[in-house]
Amino acid sequence: MADSVPSKAAADEPSRARGLTPRAKRQLLLGVLPVAVIAVALMASLSSSLPSARAPLTAATQTATAEVVADGAAPDGRGVEVSFTDANGEERTGVIVLARPEDIPDGAEIGVQYDPDDPASVYAEGDAAHLTVRNLLFGLFWVGLVLTVCASITVFRLVSRPRLRRRAATPATARRVRVRRGLSDRSWLVLDHGGAVSWVPVYWDEAISALPRDTQITVHGNPRRNRLLLPVIDGAPIWPSGVRRESAPKGEATQPPPLDPPPRKSLLRQFRGDAAGLLLAPLLGLLWAYTDESGVAGFLAATALSAGVLFWLPSIFGSDPTGPSDDE
């Protein structure tokens, strides 16, 4: 049967393969490190700011219906002067500070909360104090969500890829293809198994650059049924960076010639090549600050977190650090 496991193929793999640490494993660990550090630092900063932001609202335990006396007051025209009757029946005045200047007609009634020990401290739903607390909580939620998603995907890759070695081994003819789409380059192995062709995205390894075209290799997994396959080249497991396809991916495909010796590309050099995507981080920061109305602090936090995520993404999709200059 074409899909059966040829035990000889598995036995022919060099025993040294069991002791290899795939380059992809180190790439995944280093790729998630910046986003983890940035997220933890942001969560610590947001958490430390939350008690002081909540303190005045927590102290404002009394409520009343206030009447607007005037708007456009200090600071910066964001203040709204109001008058109200407190719980003791005394007339009080105070200033509600809004997030931005608004035109509120005199005589309008607003539900307020105030500190009984300091009735001049008046707050209303949607004012600057409430918005600050909301932004801090919203930021904590999103930063925690990003950290959870990035860490979970990375851990899943680290755990699931080695387990592919347990699948049945089968021979296949392989050739390497480099596909460029936009700013990203990815390595693909085109596997021919019994006349059927599969395209498998993989993490780059020196063994890929040295692979002669149409070389028979060992593949763990059924090329016709399994979505994830683990190619093994000269005993080195080549982790898949995605699921197999039956057709070529979109992008500019080239077939680099095999190189002996293969080019040595450190992970640091590979990360430098992937850094082009970081240029999008300030734009994402601006978008966040605009939609969230969190100002400069929100822009800086969102830019930092976006940079961490953009640095992490190539470690998940599997970038190819080689280029045309390496093919000569």
Side-chain angles (χ1 to χ4, degrees):
M1 295 176 60
D3 296 338
S4 61
V5 182
S7 58
K8 184 177 184 302
D12 287 343
E13 294 180 12
S15 59
R16 67 179 179 86
R18 298 185 179 88
L20 288 175
T21 300
R23 175 190 175 98
K25 182 177 182 179
R26 290 177 282 126
Q27 183 179 354
L28 284 167
L29 289 172
L30 292 175
V32 78
L33 183 60
V35 69
V37 171
I38 292 171
V40 170
L42 287 176
M43 292 180 70
S45 176
L46 293 171
S47 298
S48 64
S49 300
L50 190 57
S52 59
R54 274 179 164 169
L57 297 178
T58 302
T61 56
Q62 298 292 332
T63 60
T65 299
E67 182 177 306
V68 174
V69 176
D71 59 5
D76 305 322
R78 296 183 291 119
V80 178
E81 298 179 2
V82 297
S83 64
F84 61 95
T85 303
D86 66 13
N88 297 324
E90 298 182 11
E91 287 295 322
R92 301 284 187 178
T93 60
V95 176
I96 302 172
V97 179
L98 304 179
R100 57 180 177 273
E102 293 186 21
D103 186 14
I104 301 178
D106 295 349
E109 293 187 344
I110 301 176
V112 298
Q113 61 185 105
Y114 64 94
D115 184 348
D117 297 327
D118 182 17
S121 299
V122 185
Y123 307 95
E125 190 65 35
D127 64 7
H130 283 85
L131 183 62
T132 298
V133 172
R134 182 184 69 84
N135 285 341
L136 290 172
L137 292 174
F138 198 55
L140 277 170
F141 169 77
W142 277 109
V143 173
L145 180 63
V146 169
L147 177 59
T148 300
V149 170
C150 293
S152 298
I153 293 176
T154 300
V155 170
F156 178 77
R157 289 276 173 107
L158 292 171
V159 172
S160 64
R161 290 325 188 241
R163 291 181 177 178
L164 295 176
R165 291 292 294 267
R166 302 175 184 175
R167 293 182 175 177
T170 185
T173 300
R175 58 187 172 91
R176 175 206 178 191
V177 175
R178 184 174 59 228
V179 178
R180 182 173 185 81
R181 187 178 183 185
L183 296 176
S184 66
D185 288 303
R186 298 182 73 185
S187 291
W188 293 74
L189 287 179
V190 183
L191 306 178
D192 188 337
H193 39 88
V197 175
S198 295
W199 289 70
V200 180
V202 294
Y203 288 96
W204 183 85
D205 188 275
E206 292 179 8
I208 295 176
S209 289
L211 179 69
R213 295 174 183 173
D214 300 325
T215 298
Q216 182 166 300
I217 65 171
T218 298
V219 177
H220 288 272
N222 189 315
R224 288 186 173 86
R225 291 199 300 264
N226 296 132
R227 300 181 67 204
L228 286 175
L229 303 174
L230 179 67
V232 178
I233 301 176
D234 290 336
I238 308 299
W239 284 12
S241 59
V243 298
R244 69 174 179 86
R245 298 169 52 102
E246 295 181 354
S247 59
K250 295 181 180 179
E252 180 185 352
T254 58
Q255 297 189 45
L259 300 176
D260 188 15
R264 292 189 174 274
K265 301 288 185 179
S266 67
L267 283 175
L268 179 60
R269 182 174 178 180
Q270 184 168 354
F271 287 143
R272 285 204 305 265
D274 296 336
L278 299 183
L279 296 175
L280 296 175
L283 297 178
L284 296 174
L286 281 174
L287 180 62
W288 175 272
Y290 175 76
T291 56
D292 192 55
E293 299 181 352
S294 50
V296 176
F299 165 74
L300 294 176
T303 298
L305 187 62
S306 298
V309 173
L310 291 170
F311 183 87
W312 167 78
L313 284 175
S315 72
I316 293 298
F317 291 111
S319 60
D320 189 328
T322 64
S325 60
D326 298 302
D327 302 336
E328 299 175 355

